[in-house]
Amino acid sequence: MIPANFDYIAAKSLDEALSLLAKHKDDAKLLAGGHSLLPAMKLRLAQPRVLIDIGRIKDLSYIREDGGQIKIGATTTHFQIETSDVLRRACPLLPETATHLGDMQVRNKGTIGGSLAHSDPAADWPAAIIALSAEMVVAGAKGERVIKADDFFVDLLTTALQPNEVLKEIRFATPKGRVGQAYMKVRHPASGFAVVGVAVNLSLDTAGKCQSAGVGITGVAPKAYRAKGVESALKGNALDAKTLSAAAGHAADGVTDAITELFATGEYRKHLAQVYTRRALETAASRAK
Ligand SMILES: Cc1cc2nc3c(=O)[nH]c(=O)nc-3n(C[C@H](O)[C@H](O)[C@H](O)COP(=O)(O)OP(=O)(O)OC[C@H]3O[C@@H](n4cnc5c(N)ncnc54)[C@H](O)[C@@H]3O)c2cc1C
């Protein structure tokens, strides 16, 4: 398939990208790694007249720890996250999630910002970003604003980003203390996307009880969600097998719009969510030091 004709402009800075968005308005689309946008253009599901490439803006690609937070630039690739020493030490959930994403080519070109902005219901990053209670720093014509992960994913392929905005950075508090994290996924055998993906971020207090719990689930519903029932069943409790299993039973609480398609019904996805939440919780709990 061949996309409709378009103009291509490589922005040299975030400011230039914002001016180009303001100038071309609805005719324009941002291009990061192109691994979601270009397939959509080839299928003519998207037909932007102008592509503004932000993938070459060096200032948008970084992973750093700063003032008790981890900050990741939006055009940081999946591979950079997978191989980051900072993240492997301070937040192994993200490198682990990256290993589940597509194949080597996808991980080399695709970006975390592109994936989050695209908000595919089967994408892996949204689950991890919710589990970490991350914030999205968004730049627009009037300056910057911050959107919490829980408010960022609005619906299928829809986020809280406005058309004239650029997702600039993903940031979250550096996990501290006795932390245990895990990402588990059922891969779709054809696409590799998540039939179900569960990200867990736990911390334990000095007595070994659950101090905080973040659980994000992707693949089940039109958008990734926080499994609040699981989190509240964990908090304050010792993480024994019975508690973990009972908590996991809440993985699909409140999901009334589970995705049904040829490969997996909504009921099957909800069941998988419970099973994989239990496995992810067990793994995360065993990793909490
Ligand atoms: C074969 C294949 C297998 C894949 N498997 C998986 C998988 O297993 N799991 C998974 O999660 N993903 C998978 N993907 C998707 C992949 O992760 C993409 O890289 C990702 O979804 C989009 O990132 P991108 O940088 O390529 O964004 P693009 O395709 O460049 O952009 C996607 C959308 O986001 C917008 N956008 C991009 N960056 C920004 C920004 N900073 N601010 C605002 N808007 C922005 C664009 O305008 C566009 O609408 C797969 C893709 C392919 C082709």
Side-chain angles (χ1 to χ4, degrees):
M1 297 289 280
I2 298 171
N5 285 342
F6 58 88
D7 289 333
Y8 168 89
I9 310 171
K12 292 183 193 63
S13 66
L14 178 58
D15 283 346
E16 188 185 358
L18 289 170
S19 324
L20 288 164
L21 274 179
K23 181 177 171 194
H24 296 284
K25 298 196 169 61
D26 290 348
D27 286 341
K29 271 263 176 206
L30 295 172
L31 175 76
H35 270 60
S36 291
L37 182 56
L38 296 184
M41 288 172 64
K42 287 183 174 185
L43 292 168
R44 308 255 173 149
L45 296 171
Q47 300 193 30
R49 298 217 179 119
V50 182
L51 280 189
I52 304 167
D53 187 352
I54 56 169
R56 292 157 194 265
I57 303 174
K58 297 234 169 350
D59 292 352
L60 285 181
S61 173
Y62 54 85
I63 299 168
R64 58 175 84 109
E65 210 177 343
D66 179 14
Q69 287 190 315
I70 292 175
K71 301 180 175 178
I72 303 177
T75 63
T76 305
T77 64
H78 311 318
F79 178 74
Q80 287 173 299
I81 294 172
E82 181 182 352
T83 54
S84 160
D85 288 337
V86 171
L87 292 176
R88 283 180 174 172
R89 174 182 49 77
C91 185
L93 173 63
L94 293 180
E96 182 176 17
T97 303
T99 63
H100 288 266
L101 235 140
D103 52 29
M104 186 53 89
Q105 287 89 338
V106 173
R107 295 201 289 276
N108 270 328
K109 282 300 287 178
T111 68
I112 185 166
S115 172
L116 296 172
H118 190 58
S119 189
D120 190 300
D124 295 291
W125 287 130
I129 289 310
I130 288 171
L132 292 167
S133 297
E135 294 178 330
M136 319 290 166
V137 183
V138 171
K142 292 180 186 156
E144 290 186 3
R145 67 185 180 116
V146 175
I147 308 172
K148 289 186 165 47
D150 287 16
D151 302 326
F152 187 76
F153 306 103
V154 173
D155 202 348
L156 187 93
L157 303 177
T158 309
T159 68
L161 282 171
Q162 295 301 309
N164 62 349
E165 290 182 321
V166 179
L167 174 57
K168 181 181 161 189
E169 180 179 273
I170 298 99
R171 67 185 190 196
F172 51 91
T174 306
K176 286 266 179 292
R178 297 177 64 185
V179 174
Q181 304 178 327
Y183 183 69
M184 297 228 163
K185 167 180 181 180
V186 181
R187 278 174 80 90
H188 189 289
S191 71
F193 275 86
V195 176
V196 168
V198 182
V200 172
N201 176 37
L202 302 176
S203 75
L204 305 188
D205 63 18
T206 46
K209 292 192 173 166
C210 179
Q211 193 167 46
S212 69
V215 182
I217 300 186
T218 189
V220 177
K223 60 171 186 162
Y225 63 91
R226 177 180 296 284
K228 291 181 185 156
V230 178
E231 295 177 352
S232 53
L234 295 171
K235 278 178 212 159
N237 290 319
L239 298 181
D240 52 50
K242 202 172 152 198
T243 302
L244 298 179
S245 177
H250 296 285
D253 281 6
V255 176
T256 54
D257 51 357
I259 298 169
T260 289
E261 41 76 57
L262 271 182
F263 182 73
T265 63
E267 283 310 305
Y268 179 53
R269 283 172 202 271
K270 284 162 66 170
H271 175 69
L272 284 179
Q274 295 179 7
V275 173
Y276 278 77
T277 297
R278 180 176 51 73
R279 292 182 186 179
L281 289 176
E282 286 168 357
T283 303
S286 73
R287 288 174 177 170
K289 296 189 188 98

